[in-house]
Amino acid sequence: EAQVTQNPRYLITVTGKKLTVTCSQNMNHEYMSWYRQDPGLGLRQIYYSMNVEVTDKGDVPEGYKVSRKEKRNFPLILESPSPNQTSLYFCASSPGTGVSGNTIYFGEGSWLTVV
Amino acid sequence: GESVGLHLPTLSVQEGDNSIINCAYSNSASDYFIWYKQESGKGPQFIIDIRSNMDKRQGQRVTVLLNKTVKHLSLQIAATQPGDSAVYFCAENNNAGNMLTFGGGTRLMVKP
């Protein structure tokens, strides 16, 4: 089954404790991205990657890092999480190297709470 | 999990009626638009898309209309069903990059 898999789905962590949210897709997609979703703000793009070893900042990259060492994986790293990073995070992927004209598939989301 | 979009505009329709969800986009350079449906506890799901060289596109029970003059996008759902209850987002792709910018979303509630 074609899917985008995120882990963990739910996490409560403390300020400053590094964490990684993994994302894996089994569709051989070139394009992957991370979004955060907050009440009243919709989805905002954090980082995206058009292919292996190619990553770019989205609208809200501060406080986040990503890596794309393999095509299928695109982990989101919070080096020093802060409470304002409490949010619902979505990973997404699409075929091709861009967004336009390519259906984007979203993961089920990761609820992150930083206390 | 907690419901996101606690302060979303809400459209309430009777089952069987047609629904129209509207979206204003911001970038006149955007050339690709998408509607997503998000059910509670799930990720956004692609519904339909449209390019800027079109003003209308139809799918199964859904139609997207694009008015570039006023930068307005709408999603029409025919014969709305309880399963259509969800939050609907429009998204635009500006051709300056490979990013999607999402609107704030509209909650559709279908009354049986």
Side-chain angles (χ1 to χ4, degrees), chain A residues 55-111:
Chain A
T55 63
D56 285 287
K57 294 178 180 179
D59 290 321
V60 289
E62 294 78 19
Y64 304 95
K65 287 172 58 177
V66 292
S67 70
R68 190 86 184 274
K69 293 183 169 54
E70 309 162 277
K71 200 172 188 180
R72 65 180 291 126
N73 296 320
F74 190 46
L76 179 69
I77 303 156
L78 285 75
E79 292 275 3
S80 182
S82 61
N84 65 12
Q85 292 179 297
T86 292
S87 187
L88 173 60
Y89 291 85
F90 287 102
C91 181
S93 74
S94 72
T97 54
V99 173
S100 189
N102 294 309
T103 300
I104 296 182
Y105 298 83
F106 283 84
E108 293 288 284
S110 294
W111 285 98

Side-chain angles (χ1 to χ4, degrees), chain A residues 9-91:
Chain A
R9 294 289 315 280
Y10 303 92
L11 179 65
I12 300 174
T13 190
V14 296
T15 298
K17 185 177 181 181
K18 180 180 177 180
L19 70 92
T20 299
V21 187
T22 63
C23 175
S24 181
Q25 50 92 6
N26 62 358
M27 296 168 279
N28 201 36
H29 286 170
E30 284 82 8
Y31 184 91
M32 297 185 75
S33 62
W34 275 102
Y35 298 83
R36 62 177 288 174
Q37 186 173 32
D38 303 289
L41 295 176
L43 287 102
R44 293 179 293 167
Q45 195 161 22
I46 304 171
Y47 268 95
Y48 64 96
S49 168
M50 289 191 283
N51 216 323
V52 175
E53 301 291 4
V54 179
T55 63
D56 285 287
K57 294 178 180 179
D59 290 321
V60 289
E62 294 78 19
Y64 304 95
K65 287 172 58 177
V66 292
S67 70
R68 190 86 184 274
K69 293 183 169 54
E70 309 162 277
K71 200 172 188 180
R72 65 180 291 126
N73 296 320
F74 190 46
L76 179 69
I77 303 156
L78 285 75
E79 292 275 3
S80 182
S82 61
N84 65 12
Q85 292 179 297
T86 292
S87 187
L88 173 60
Y89 291 85
F90 287 102
C91 181

Side-chain angles (χ1 to χ4, degrees), chain A residues 31 37 45 50 98 100 111, chain B residues 2 32 38 51 98-100:
Chain A
Y31 184 91
Q37 186 173 32
Q45 195 161 22
M50 289 191 283
S100 189
W111 285 98
Chain B
E2 177 189 351
Y32 179 63
Q38 186 176 24
R51 291 193 178 278
N98 284 292
M99 288 173 46
L100 275 183

